[in-house]
Amino acid sequence: MADRSKVFVYPKDVSAFGFDWGRLALTVAPEVNGAERFSGGVVDLPPGKGHTRHNHPGAEEIIFVISGNGEQMVEDEKGNPVVAKVGPGCTIYVPESRFHSTLNTGDQPMQLFVVYSPAGPELALRDLPDFRLLPPGKQ
């Protein structure tokens, strides 16, 4: 159940989605603090890791690079991959339902903040075969 009083949330204070490629800690979401129109959280990608091409049907996404360097792909409206090198301070806009992928190409961890609108598409990640729920503080 959501705790609507949680307005200041650190990634270490919530459960995280763990994967072979990294983790996602949702710090804003309906199930965390009752957010209604969007969800978001911190993604950590170890060097050489990333998430493969996927999309979020019916949702837009914002990806903000906090630290590290990588390669971001976002398909254009015709389905052609558009790839760019990204680093700290870069904001990536992923239009609704558009396929995209992120790869940490650096030798340091890469950290991102992601926002989904509307909330919900990130919950489909629980169905991936390498998904594991990491308890708060065990990240």
Side-chain angles (χ1 to χ4, degrees), residues 50-115:
H51 57 79
T52 58
R53 179 184 177 274
H54 67 286
N55 73 341
H56 307 285
E60 295 176 293
E61 182 176 1
I62 297 167
I63 303 170
F64 179 79
V65 181
I66 298 169
S67 62
N69 293 285
E71 187 174 274
Q72 181 68 47
M73 184 280 292
V74 179
E75 289 185 353
D76 67 16
E77 60 280 349
K78 295 179 181 176
N80 300 309
V82 178
V83 179
K85 292 186 183 306
V86 297
C90 185
T91 300
I92 299 109
Y93 169 60
V94 182
E96 181 180 338
S97 305
R98 201 75 59 86
F99 282 92
H100 58 286
S101 63
T102 309
L103 175 65
N104 179 350
T105 59
D107 58 2
Q108 299 294 316
M110 185 176 193
Q111 191 170 64
L112 315 168
F113 189 82
V114 297
V115 177

Side-chain angles (χ1 to χ4, degrees), residues 21 24 26 28 37-41 43 51 54 56 59-63 100 113-123 125:
W21 51 262
L24 165 62
L26 291 174
V28 177
R37 294 180 182 86
F38 58 85
S39 60
V43 173
H51 57 79
H54 67 286
H56 307 285
E60 295 176 293
E61 182 176 1
I62 297 167
I63 303 170
H100 58 286
F113 189 82
V114 297
V115 177
Y116 307 94
S117 179
E122 69 284 356
L123 297 179
L125 295 170

